[in-house]
Amino acid sequence: MNHPSAQLAEFAAELKYEDIPFPVLRRTEDLMLDCLASVLAGSSARPVQSIARFADAMGPTSGPAENMVTRRTSSPLFAAMANAAAAHMVEQDDVHNGSVFHPAAVVFPPAIAVAQALGRSGKELLTACVAGYETGIRVGEFLGRSHYKIFHTTGTAGALAAAAAVGRLLNLNPAQMLDAFGSAGTQAAGLWEFLKDAADSKQLHTSKAAVNGIIAAYLANDGFTGARHILEGAQGMAAGMSSDADPARLTHGLGSRWTVLETSFKYHASCRHTHPAADALLALVQAHALSIDDIARVDALVHQGAIDVLGPVVDPSTVHQSKFSMGTVLGLIAQQGRAGLPEFDAALHDPDIAAFRKKVVMTLDAEVDQAYPEKWIGKVRVTTTDGRVLDARVDEPKGDPGNTLSRAELEDKARRLGIYRNAATPEEIDTLIERVWTLADNDMVGGFVPGGQTLNGLTRSHAG
């Protein structure tokens, strides 16, 4: 096996805890906490509840895996289905810049559910999650910018990321892992058209990517075969979904370049394409003590991907859709100095925010576009009501690897996410934080938040 898909499968199948540098393992823990807090924050949302009800109706009434949405247990497949939907709901989960891919929502839910079901250790879980990240990110990079214009990469590359993580927990050999990739890739889907209608599809994308990865890995473990060139083959993913795919990206730096360390945390509770401009505007607002009434116009100088994704959202009709509105995000920055979950909830029908949206113009900037997606540069030009023209630039938005969140900041974010809409108590969040930080010391992965049933011998009562 010497083709790129096979090399990537071999890496994922044979990755060992001892092979992974300490900073990569610690960053994986950071990303896990960020993801699980996002699951809690998104757990009460209507689309998530719909998927959770479906999972309850179709799945078992109890099982070895933790459903953090319902606080009950289920099979790994249906627990992951609900948790992955919630992870991506509030737009606070991570992103890898170069692949424009959100790994956490499609790696941690299936990996945790399967690790709980199989009785795997914390170290085995962390190893599997790294395999998932390294696989999914490279697949996203391979598929390229043309893919992202139409396809939601988190739904497509995410299926292979999930398959890699689950396959590692199942101890698939390289040939079986390649079969899992084939079955995951043939199921990969997710289209951006939903944004125009404020539809709920984004949660289905992460939910199904997690489920499809579990299906693919378990079938491969049972001898089920998949296309061995699903990525680069003449009728594979790239052929049908990309015009600029580069197979070299599938194997670039395997074992030496750790893409986990390149993954960014989200500071604002919105689409990542809004963050660079939001940070640049925040710098101007703070430097010049501007209020929302002081601003007559904002020119956001952006990359083409931002225009493709955000451009259709001119008059958001839901809170979730407003997170893809550059005007709404920048309006919150000008009005509140932040764009967090409570701010978005209050902004949907705010007449000042609605008026501000009309002041915001996105313009393609050659420098910003050329740097993207490896770098997400933020540039804004503000014209004030008294005639001043002010420019600001941010080369690394808050949360990027060069401007990352400390563990103290991540704990603070987790606490804010966890108590959102009373998803969890402060005490439960403290317990979650402790369980993630000590995960590598555990011989068996247990539950992360209290529930009403028994999981791996641990009985807990719901504090809600």
Side-chain angles (χ1 to χ4, degrees):
M1 295 190 299
N2 57 7
H3 56 85
S5 293
Q7 293 175 45
L8 187 59
E10 182 178 19
F11 171 82
E14 296 186 345
L15 183 66
K16 298 179 177 58
Y17 183 84
E18 294 74 22
D19 298 333
I20 305 170
F22 181 80
V24 177
L25 294 166
R26 295 295 79 83
R27 177 59 65 89
T28 305
E29 294 169 354
D30 294 347
L31 294 163
M32 182 182 293
L33 175 63
D34 199 55
C35 177
L36 296 182
S38 291
V39 171
L40 291 174
S43 61
S44 65
R46 179 190 53 76
V48 174
Q49 286 290 312
S50 182
I51 290 174
R53 284 191 295 272
F54 174 83
D56 273 353
M58 297 295 173
T61 56
S62 64
E66 177 181 30
N67 182 331
M68 293 177 61
V69 175
T70 63
R71 298 292 187 97
R72 294 192 288 272
T73 59
S74 185
S75 68
L77 188 143
F78 286 102
M81 174 182 284
N83 293 338
H88 206 41
M89 183 70 227
V90 297
E91 297 295 329
Q92 286 275 259
D93 52 318
D94 64 9
V95 63
H96 180 267
N97 288 351
S99 56
V100 202
F101 169 56
H102 302 278
V106 292
V107 169
F108 291 118
I112 289 172
V114 170
Q116 290 169 336
L118 297 177
R120 299 298 191 229
S121 69
K123 289 181 178 179
E124 288 173 310
L125 173 57
L126 289 170
T127 302
C129 292
V130 172
Y133 266 71
E134 299 299 322
T135 297
I137 287 170
R138 284 177 170 81
V139 171
E141 290 178 329
F142 156 73
L143 291 171
R145 293 180 64 168
S146 66
H147 177 79
Y148 186 78
K149 189 175 181 68
I150 304 296
F151 292 93
H152 183 200
T153 305
T154 305
T156 54
L160 284 100
V166 174
R168 186 65 196 85
L169 288 165
L170 290 169
N171 295 318
L172 299 186
N173 63 39
Q176 291 172 316
M177 186 68 83
L178 186 59
D179 284 330
F181 284 6
S183 291
T186 205
Q187 300 177 85
L191 296 162
W192 281 117
E193 184 66 21
F194 76 91
L195 269 179
K196 298 173 185 175
D197 304 307
D200 299 328
S201 306
K202 202 162 192 267
Q203 279 55 65
L204 189 61
H205 294 174
T206 52
S207 184
K208 278 303 301 308
V211 165
N212 291 343
I214 291 174
I215 292 171
Y218 272 80
L219 287 176
N221 193 47
D222 194 48
F224 193 91
T225 60
R228 306 183 75 76
H229 294 267
I230 194 65
L231 295 168
E232 72 276 38
Q235 293 175 298
M237 288 180 71
M241 297 177 163
S242 175
S243 61
D244 63 343
D246 180 0
R249 293 174 179 164
L250 290 171
T251 56
H252 172 60
L254 274 176
S256 58
R257 171 206 173 204
W258 297 95
T259 61
V260 170
L261 298 177
E262 302 169 3
T263 304
S264 300
F265 299 98
K266 275 191 172 183
Y267 188 66
H268 309 295
S270 59
C271 175
R272 183 64 172 177
H273 292 296
T274 67
H275 289 211
D279 281 6
L281 180 61
L282 181 60
L284 271 185
V285 167
Q286 293 174 339
H288 298 275
L290 299 176
S291 73
I292 192 170
D293 295 328
D294 294 327
I295 298 174
R297 176 185 171 103
V298 180
D299 289 282
L301 309 178
V302 299
H303 52 270
Q304 184 62 47
I307 294 172
D308 293 340
V309 173
L310 307 177
V313 185
V314 294
D315 186 18
S317 59
T318 67
V319 170
H320 188 257
Q321 192 184 33
S322 73
K323 297 181 177 191
F324 292 80
S325 161
M326 182 69 87
T328 300
V329 175
L330 298 189
L332 286 174
I333 294 296
Q335 182 190 67
Q336 305 285 341
R338 60 182 296 120
L341 298 180
E343 287 77 23
F344 274 103
D345 285 348
L348 185 61
H349 302 296
D350 185 329
D352 292 335
I353 297 296
F356 193 88
R357 281 198 289 266
K358 296 180 174 62
K359 301 178 182 180
V360 175
V361 177
M362 286 191 295
T363 303
L364 182 65
D365 182 273
E367 181 196 12
V368 174
D369 191 57
Q370 185 174 4
Y372 171 84
E374 283 71 24
K375 292 183 65 176
W376 294 42
I377 298 171
K379 287 184 181 181
V380 296
R381 174 165 294 155
V382 170
T383 304
T384 64
T385 53
D386 60 7
R388 289 174 291 164
V389 177
L390 307 171
D391 291 283
R393 174 194 180 110
V394 171
D395 284 295
E396 289 189 284
K398 181 69 172 175
D400 265 15
N403 188 16
T404 194
L405 302 183
S406 67
R407 281 209 158 175
E409 289 175 312
L410 287 168
E411 289 181 3
D412 176 68
K413 180 184 174 184
R415 291 187 173 95
R416 285 187 283 108
L417 289 173
I419 63 173
Y420 179 64
R421 296 185 178 175
N422 299 312
T425 66
E427 293 77 18
E428 288 172 339
I429 302 304
D430 288 342
T431 298
L432 171 63
I433 292 169
E434 177 65 17
R435 286 178 177 171
V436 174
W437 289 168
T438 60
L439 181 62
D441 300 325
N442 293 336
D443 292 334
M444 188 164 61
V445 176
F448 289 91
V449 296
Q453 299 185 33
T454 299
L455 180 65
N456 287 344
L458 301 177
T459 302
R460 301 175 300 277
S461 60
H462 186 1

